């Protein structure tokens, strides 16, 4: 059976990726930071469709912990066929008043954490000459977003990382792509004030927030052989927000 690892797989988009990949036949490693109950609940949903799950706590911003996550999942489930770099946080605020700690936390988790997780996973994929990596970027990587200078920089950085890794590993049969969601209904966006939410909906041609499964479908596609000729690309899943902006 193919094996996938989803960082931040306990909640939101990561949880949807884990269950969608399980439905597609993957055994799934579920990384989480602190919410073990959520990670276990996702593991139960993976088991409910007949696939194996392994839950492992790891702060991806710590390079040793990220490598330990990859090793633990490969030990338990087998070599990785797919890696979903989903773990992410926000620490919003106006750029000129942003605390350096908030800048660092977001860059370290969203960007460095993805790199620290991708590298050990890619080592095995390169040896096996097969594998797919998908990183969760964001529409704000392309548009910017006032109040999210750290987050937008981390998500734009991911695109540079994805495109570079894609070129470095393509000759050995490994693909690296990104998904750029618009606004998706998760814990992360539940804190958006109503007034701003209305503006987002008005700017979204399809007229709703996305659901985590909308993003998971794109992730599953990029992991699959249906995307065998796609690497270094960015798939927008944003209800048309980017064209509507
Ligand atoms: P949530 O806030 O719902 O979930 C975030 C997940 O990341 C949680 O599972 C959390 O683990 C995990 N996580 C956070 N920090 C760390 C860390 N240091 N180490 C390991 N895991 C960590 O987020 P979403 O589901 O909304 O977002 C998922 C991804 O998609 C993020 O990268 C986000 O930036 C991106 N995205 C989201 C959009 C949206 O509108 N929601 C839009 C565009 C991109 P735990 O459960 O243990 O806390």
């Amino acid at each position: 059976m193919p094996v996938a690892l989803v960082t931040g797989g306990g909640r939101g988009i990561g949880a949807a990726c884990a269950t969608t990949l399980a439905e597609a036949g993957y055994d799934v490693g579920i990384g989480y930071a602190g919410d073990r109950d959520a990670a276990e609940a996702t593991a139960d949903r993976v088991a409910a469709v007949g696939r194996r799950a392994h839950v492992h706590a790891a702060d991806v911003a710590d390079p040793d912990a990220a490598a330990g996550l990859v090793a633990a999942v490969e030990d338990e489930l087998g070599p990785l066929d797919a890696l979903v770099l989903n773990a992410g946080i926000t620490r919003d605020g106006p750029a000129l008043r942003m605390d350096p700690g908030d800048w660092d936390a977001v860059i370290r988790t969203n960007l460095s954490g993805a790199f620290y997780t991708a590298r050990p996973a890619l080592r095995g994929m390169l040896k096996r000459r097969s594998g797919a990596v998908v990183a969760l970027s964001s529409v704000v990587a392309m548009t910017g977003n006032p109040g999210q200078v750290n987050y937008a920089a981390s998500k734009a950085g991911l695109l540079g990382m994805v495109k570079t890794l894609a070129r470095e590993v393509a000759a050995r049969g490994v693909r690296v792509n990104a998904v750029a969601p618009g606004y998706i209904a998760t814990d992360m966006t539940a804190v958006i004030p109503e007034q701003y939410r209305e503006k987002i909906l008005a700017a979204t041609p399809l007229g709703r927030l996305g659901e985590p499964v909308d993003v998971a479908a794109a992730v599953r596609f990029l992991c699959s052989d249906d995307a065998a000729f796609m690497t270094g690309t960015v798939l927008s899943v944003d209800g048309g927000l980017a064209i509507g902006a």
Side-chain angles (χ1 to χ4, degrees):
M1 281 303 152
V3 176
L5 165 59
V6 182
T7 65
R11 293 188 285 124
I13 292 169
C17 290
T19 50
T20 298
L21 287 168
E23 284 158 7
Y26 289 79
D27 292 335
V28 186
I30 298 157
Y32 70 100
D35 193 340
R36 184 162 188 103
D37 289 348
E40 296 281 7
T42 304
D44 289 346
R45 288 197 290 278
V46 169
V49 297
R51 301 267 55 91
R52 292 185 301 153
H54 181 64
V55 165
H56 187 88
D59 175 3
V60 295
D62 173 346
D64 293 334
L69 170 64
V70 172
V73 171
E74 293 203 317
D75 280 353
E76 196 66 31
L77 300 178
L80 291 186
D81 298 284
L83 170 66
V84 183
L85 299 166
N86 167 80
I89 59 169
T90 53
R91 296 277 187 280
D92 297 351
L96 297 189
R97 289 207 301 272
M98 182 171 287
D99 185 277
D102 288 339
W103 170 268
D104 284 344
V106 169
I107 298 293
R108 285 178 59 237
T109 302
N110 298 7
L111 179 56
S112 305
F115 180 61
Y116 296 151
T117 314
R119 211 160 37 163
L122 282 170
R123 283 198 185 100
M125 289 178 176
L126 291 178
K127 274 190 205 135
R128 296 186 296 279
R129 296 187 166 262
S130 151
V133 177
V134 180
L136 271 292
S137 179
S138 167
V139 66
V140 305
M142 274 79 76
T143 62
N145 197 26
Q148 289 199 308
V149 66
N150 49 358
Y151 184 78
S154 74
K155 295 298 180 183
L158 275 179
L159 297 185
M161 185 192 88
V162 159
K163 286 170 186 287
T164 302
L165 289 176
R167 295 179 71 160
E168 288 193 9
V169 301
R172 286 204 264 166
V174 179
R175 299 181 296 102
V176 186
N177 290 292
V179 171
Y183 289 85
I184 310 300
T186 68
D187 294 345
M188 186 176 275
T189 49
V191 295
I192 293 175
E194 188 53 37
Q195 208 182 349
Y196 187 60
R197 179 179 295 258
E198 277 164 24
K199 276 191 187 162
I200 292 165
L201 290 177
T204 303
L206 286 178
R208 64 170 174 89
L209 293 191
E211 295 297 327
V213 289
D214 293 322
V215 181
V219 169
R220 176 185 53 193
F221 165 67
L222 287 172
C223 290
S224 77
D225 286 345
D226 289 343
F229 198 50
M230 296 175 73
T231 198
T233 200
V234 186
L235 212 49
S236 292
V237 184
D238 61 9
L241 180 65
I243 56 164

